Amino acid sequence: MKKIIKSALFLLCSVCILTACEDDNDSNPVLRTPDSFVMNTPSYATSVVDLKSSTALNFSWQYPDYGFPVSVNYQLQLSVNGKFDKAFNPNLKASDQSVDFITTDAVYQETKGALTGEAFATALQKIALYQESNVPATQKVYVRAFATVKGDTVYSNPITIIVAPYYVELKDAPVEIWYLIGGCIGNGSWTNSKASIGVGMIPLSPIEGQEYDRKTGKGKIGYKGYFPANASFKILEKVGNWDYGMCGDGTDKGTTYRSGGSDPGNISIAEAGYYYIELDTKAHTCTIKKIDDPSSITVFTTFNLPGDYNSWNETSPMTAVETYAGAINHNWTATVTITAKGGVKFKSGTSAYGGTVFPSGVAGTTQVSKIPVEPGTYVVVFNDITGGYTFVEQ
């Protein structure tokens, strides 16, 4: 009888243990990695989509079977042949690549997403490389989604749609520009607004020979100019926002990056003189060095901005930016309206400064090319030491 009771108790304990294990498995499910998931064919797949007039192309897909609900990031990929073998590299020129698919920028957290007609056409241009005079009337495009969870990627089946593409002129992102502001900058007003650019704020400029991220425009930018004794200033990442940019670290010429939070203080320069500032907008680092021998720096009294927009007229001089007490000006500004594509140069006397890049670049007297400009109204700022210039659209 005792043996029977012991056996019964053993069986009962075993059942309890198994039940507990099953409950534990239910509360701690195992993440599965599915082989694929389903991309839905959109209703417009049987029609030709005119990308020029389309506001949005909507896509949807089914939730991958991970075994239980989990947060997923989705992106879309486009291919012209459906092979998805050679991926577009955004860090290289499109014309230097031979690829068959591209990953679009948008990231989705739901099982649906949309691309504007313009975004779709631009992505397609990067892999198809249409010539402006030879764009096909229609193009079959393969579209698939991919899902990412904890570094693991799963791809959907591709679906096909027919689009009417158009030529898109591909351009790198403009160089990311940050702005000086302070009691020793411009008119010294510390006014942080778009209207203050070229008045109380001065842009840093691209550096000759530097390479910039084609997608973001980030990289090294610089500035040369005169600073008075006990200069106090900041370098702002975003016009109108004090929370992001380079501030002081409490030492002479020392800097620290501010990304929100409390203000670390202003950048300070104790000794008067000419200084070179180099700022890496990607790494968020900044160095300030004194120019020991500024004898080669010319102090100009006037600059003009002649160009096709005003029939190369030099009768409207640019305005000196640095007007605070004791300033030595090396920055010039003008507001111009460009009605058609054309070219401009910066000019002082017989010295003409040309360039090849818009809207920010480096001009020089040895550069014979006219700076190419696009239609619009701009505040232009030019540094006569570095030749750096920026056109800020209004």
Side-chain angles (χ1 to χ4, degrees):
M1 185 64 179
K2 290 182 178 179
K3 290 183 179 179
I4 294 174
I5 293 173
K6 288 182 179 179
S7 298
L9 288 172
F10 176 76
L11 289 172
L12 181 60
C13 290
S14 298
V15 170
C16 290
I17 291 170
L18 289 172
T19 302
C21 290
E22 289 176 359
D23 290 343
D24 188 61
N25 286 335
D26 289 339
S27 61
N28 296 282
V30 177
L31 179 67
R32 294 198 297 261
T33 302
D35 294 329
S36 185
F37 62 100
V38 176
M39 181 83 171
N40 300 322
T41 300
S43 59
Y44 56 81
T46 57
S47 306
V48 176
V49 180
D50 184 358
L51 296 180
K52 194 76 171 179
S53 61
S54 294
T55 56
L57 286 79
N58 295 299
F59 299 95
S60 65
W61 46 88
Q62 297 180 23
Y63 184 81
D65 182 12
Y66 289 105
F68 60 94
V70 64
S71 178
V72 185
N73 286 334
Y74 302 96
Q75 283 182 266
L76 294 170
Q77 295 179 328
L78 315 181
S79 173
V80 291
N81 60 14
K83 293 181 179 180
F84 294 94
D85 285 335
K86 299 177 181 179
F88 176 81
N89 185 341
N91 293 317
L92 301 176
K93 282 186 177 181
S95 57
D96 292 340
Q97 303 182 61
S98 177
V99 299
D100 63 22
F101 80 97
I102 186 171
T103 299
T104 58
D105 293 333
V107 179
Y108 315 98
Q109 278 76 44
E110 300 180 280
T111 55
K112 61 181 180 180
L115 291 172
T116 65
E118 180 182 10
F120 198 105
T122 301
L124 189 56
Q125 177 70 38
K126 290 177 180 178
I127 56 176
L129 297 177
Y130 300 126
Q131 298 298 310
E132 188 171 8
S133 59
N134 189 26
V135 180
T138 61
Q139 172 76 59
K140 178 187 282 189
V141 183
Y142 298 81
V143 184
R144 73 179 182 183
F146 68 90
T148 304
V149 174
K150 296 183 177 180
D152 289 331
T153 301
V154 180
Y155 298 90
S156 77
N157 60 292
I159 55 97
T160 59
I161 61 173
I162 306 297
V163 301
Y166 63 91
Y167 175 77
V168 177
E169 184 178 357
L170 299 177
K171 298 179 180 179
D172 293 342
V175 176
E176 182 177 294
I177 299 299
W178 295 27
Y179 291 84
L180 292 155
I181 188 170
C184 58
I185 304 298
N187 63 2
S189 65
W190 285 95
T191 302
N192 180 8
S193 69
K194 188 173 181 179
S196 187
I197 296 173
V199 182
M201 302 179 73
I202 298 176
L204 280 74
S205 305
I207 299 173
E208 191 73 36
Q210 286 290 326
E211 293 188 359
Y212 297 89
D213 189 297
R214 297 182 182 279
K215 190 174 180 180
T216 65
K218 291 182 180 296
K220 292 181 178 180
I221 54 178
Y223 176 83
K224 288 182 181 179
Y226 174 82
F227 289 84
N230 301 314
S232 180
F233 62 97
K234 295 181 186 293
I235 308 174
L236 299 182
E237 180 177 355
K238 304 176 183 186
V239 174
N241 190 327
W242 293 100
D243 295 338
Y244 298 87
M246 302 307 301
C247 297
D249 67 359
T251 66
D252 185 46
K253 301 186 290 295
T255 62
T256 185
Y257 177 66
R258 180 185 182 186
S259 179
S262 59
D263 184 1
N266 299 329
I267 301 169
S268 61
I269 295 179
E271 186 180 2
Y274 282 88
Y275 288 84
Y276 173 58
I277 299 174
E278 183 173 289
L279 192 156
D280 189 327
T281 62
K282 183 180 291 186
H284 294 159
T285 57
C286 180
T287 58
I288 301 175
K289 296 180 180 179
K290 188 174 185 182
I291 299 173
D292 294 326
D293 181 11
S295 60
S296 62
I297 296 176
T298 301
V299 178
F300 292 89
T301 57
T302 185
F303 254 94
N304 285 277
L305 183 59
D308 293 316
Y309 75 99
N310 69 351
S311 300
W312 297 93
N313 193 317
E314 297 180 36
T315 59
S316 299
M318 302 178 77
T319 302
V321 176
E322 292 161 295
T323 59
Y324 65 88
I328 300 177
N329 182 67
H330 288 284
N331 293 280
W332 304 87
T333 188
T335 299
V336 298
T337 297
I338 310 294
T339 58
K341 286 185 176 182
V344 300
K345 286 189 176 183
F346 298 98
K347 193 171 182 183
S348 181
T350 58
S351 299
Y353 295 70
T356 59
V357 184
F358 180 85
S360 297
V362 181
T365 54
T366 60
Q367 178 56 259
V368 296
S369 299
K370 295 181 288 187
I371 299 167
V373 291
E374 299 285 340
T377 297
Y378 304 91
V379 168
V380 187
V381 183
F382 172 71
N383 182 288
D384 63 30
I385 302 177
T386 64
Y389 60 86
T390 294
F391 286 70
V392 182
E393 190 165 13
Q394 302 302 291

